[in-house]
Amino acid sequence: MAEWKTCTIADLGTVIGGATPSTKKEENYEGGTIAWITPKDLAGFTGRYILRGERNITECGLNSCSAKMMPAHSVLFSSRAPIGYIAIAGQEMCTNQGFKSVVPNDNIDYMFLYYLLKYNKDKIEAMGSGTTFKEVSGSTMKEIEVTVPESLDEQKKIAAVLSVLDQKIEENEAINENLLEQMKVLYKSYFVNFEPFNGIMPSDWKEYKLSNFLPVITGKKNANISSKSGSYPFFSCSQDIAWADEYSFEGNAILVAGNGDFNVKFYNGKFEAYQRTYVLIPYNPRYTAWLFYVVKYNLNKITLSARGSVIKFITKGNLENFSFYAPRNLKDLGIIDLFNATNCVIAANREESANLSKLRDTLLPKLMTGELDVSSLDI
């Protein structure tokens, strides 16, 4: 049985805050090559390693503020609302003031530190102060007590058990992203550029509207019914999928965010939907995957007429009246089945990842408290 000790985060590494260069000076950003991360970059981030953010800064920008360069394998932890976004630096980088990152000492495995902070997220957040927006100060972060194995080898074994699950989840995500991109390219080749037909739309094609294939239904639920657990997926305008204990819809569906970043998802089964999310369930399930790529590829066109001065939104009519071209005889169109087969693979990968995530989240507290002893594992 491994020996564990209680210590502070400061005992495990150097806690480093971040800063923002003046946005009024172009020389702080123009042509910048230094990776500079903000909490926004981790919103919806599902991996472990981050390489770059939305924006880089220059060496001039770095020297003009109190931001510090951190080596690869530093652990980034957002300390200002929202508290608890976490990632591992995939390369040398710096952050804005929304982080209290930890550069691990030689006596701490960086991957173990990542899972340790992940496990202690709620504890760290509870130590934050502030009325409107909570924030964890650097001094508070340093003094937070945690329990860790004394042996570096034990830390690495614990991290390895959890890491192999996350690695598979990340591989599934990479496969799915690749498949989605391939299908978008295939859709463009066949239905936009007409490459199989020497670049000319065949004479037996016609113009369709989305409403020819499906009704456009609006979700009815408020966001407050969503949770981190539940029996059914809850689709909102966010890229992330939450959960609910009840469902209102069942079928092979396309989910379109009615505002925000206007993302598109697909799902087959029982689910719940937010009131600003549009639910598209085709009359013929065979067409679902194909129509998903119709919407996904043409989303910018569909949202061109979005309304709203502050928050842009699309209406049912924007979806119902969107028109596109396809063969008159869809029954014998084999490419539709290829879209279906690909989306089945993507859905299977997602289901596997969801199960692996639940397993990881179950193991995390047991491993981080020593309830599960891995000292005898040969890794």
Side-chain angles (χ1 to χ4, degrees):
M1 183 74 178
E3 294 294 327
W4 289 61
K5 64 181 180 181
T6 298
C7 58
T8 64
I9 290 178
D11 294 326
L12 304 179
T14 304
V15 177
I16 296 179
T20 299
S22 172
T23 56
K24 296 180 180 179
K25 297 180 179 180
E26 291 185 5
E27 61 265 28
N28 291 338
Y29 298 93
E30 190 67 31
T33 57
I34 298 174
W36 179 69
I37 310 299
T38 72
K40 181 182 176 183
D41 295 319
L42 296 188
F45 184 75
T46 57
R48 289 172 297 168
Y49 294 90
I50 187 166
L51 291 172
R52 60 186 60 84
E54 189 177 89
R55 200 171 187 184
N56 290 339
I57 63 174
T58 63
E59 187 171 350
C60 179
L62 177 67
N63 294 332
S64 72
C65 66
S66 59
K68 297 288 188 292
M69 289 296 288
M70 298 177 295
H73 298 164
S74 300
V75 183
L76 283 51
F77 189 93
S78 67
S79 57
R80 181 181 295 181
I83 296 172
Y85 289 164
I86 184 168
I88 300 169
Q91 63 173 348
E92 192 178 33
M93 61 178 53
C94 60
T95 72
N96 79 347
Q97 61 274 17
F99 288 89
K100 297 297 180 293
S101 304
V102 185
V103 180
N105 294 337
D106 292 339
N107 66 339
I108 186 77
D109 176 66
Y110 78 89
M111 188 63 72
F112 175 84
L113 178 61
Y114 167 80
Y115 288 114
L116 181 71
L117 294 181
K118 197 178 184 73
Y119 169 65
N120 284 282
K121 171 189 174 299
D122 292 342
K123 180 179 181 179
I124 297 172
E125 184 173 9
M127 299 295 289
S129 59
T131 53
T132 305
F133 296 103
K134 292 184 70 174
E135 180 175 6
V136 179
S137 68
S139 58
T140 298
M141 187 76 171
K142 292 175 182 178
E143 295 305 314
I144 291 174
E145 289 191 344
V146 292
T147 305
V148 301
E150 291 187 351
S151 165
L152 183 62
D153 183 61
E154 184 79 3
Q155 296 172 21
K156 290 182 176 181
K157 287 181 178 181
I158 291 172
V161 172
L162 296 166
S163 184
V164 72
L165 299 174
D166 272 327
Q167 183 176 340
K168 179 55 178 171
I169 293 170
E170 290 161 1
E171 288 173 357
N172 284 349
E173 181 65 22
I175 291 170
N176 283 356
E177 285 297 319
N178 182 275
L179 290 174
L180 284 168
E181 286 304 310
Q182 287 189 48
M183 291 302 101
K184 284 173 63 178
V185 170
L186 181 62
Y187 174 85
K188 180 181 179 181
S189 171
Y190 198 97
F191 293 96
V192 178
N193 294 339
F194 312 115
E195 290 178 8
F197 316 105
N198 297 318
I200 301 172
M201 185 175 72
S203 58
D204 61 344
W205 284 38
K206 61 172 284 189
E207 185 178 22
Y208 292 95
K209 289 184 177 181
L210 273 178
S211 57
N212 296 141
F213 296 94
L214 49 83
V216 177
I217 305 169
T218 307
K220 305 298 182 186
K221 301 299 183 180
N222 294 322
N224 58 11
I225 76 155
S226 69
S227 66
K228 294 182 179 179
S229 61
S231 302
Y232 308 103
F234 177 77
F235 294 99
S236 66
C237 295
S238 169
Q239 291 277 7
D240 299 329
I241 301 173
W243 296 89
D245 293 322
E246 55 188 43
Y247 71 94
S248 298
F249 301 95
E250 181 176 4
N252 205 347
I254 303 161
L255 296 310
V256 183
N259 57 27
D261 63 1
F262 300 119
N263 61 83
V264 186
K265 311 179 188 78
F266 69 88
Y267 182 74
N268 187 11
K270 298 174 181 177
F271 62 92
E272 194 55 86
Y274 173 59
Q275 57 193 6
R276 288 302 302 163
T277 297
Y278 293 111
V279 179
L280 286 57
I281 301 180
Y283 303 119
N284 186 340
R286 179 176 177 246
Y287 297 149
T288 304
W290 167 55
L291 293 171
F292 165 76
Y293 290 102
V294 170
V295 175
K296 190 171 182 66
Y297 181 83
N298 293 290
L299 193 58
N300 288 338
K301 289 183 180 179
I302 294 172
T303 58
L304 274 178
S305 54
R307 304 176 184 177
S309 55
V310 179
I311 300 177
K312 295 290 185 181
F313 64 91
I314 56 174
T315 65
K316 287 179 62 176
N318 295 140
L319 289 165
E320 291 170 335
N321 297 320
F322 178 73
S323 61
F324 54 95
Y325 290 91
R328 291 180 182 274
N329 179 16
L330 295 173
K331 182 180 179 181
D332 298 328
L333 189 60
I335 196 172
I336 288 178
D337 300 316
L338 180 56
F339 288 130
N340 281 329
T342 302
N343 277 18
C344 284
V345 173
I346 293 172
N349 286 341
R350 286 177 177 168
E351 182 177 1
E352 180 184 51
S353 292
N355 290 331
L356 291 173
S357 295
K358 290 179 181 178
L359 176 59
R360 177 202 60 208
D361 294 343
T362 300
L363 291 174
L364 182 63
K366 298 180 184 298
L367 290 167
M368 287 297 159
T369 57
E371 180 181 343
L372 287 180
D373 181 20
V374 298
S375 57
S376 61
L377 290 182
D378 183 14
I379 297 179

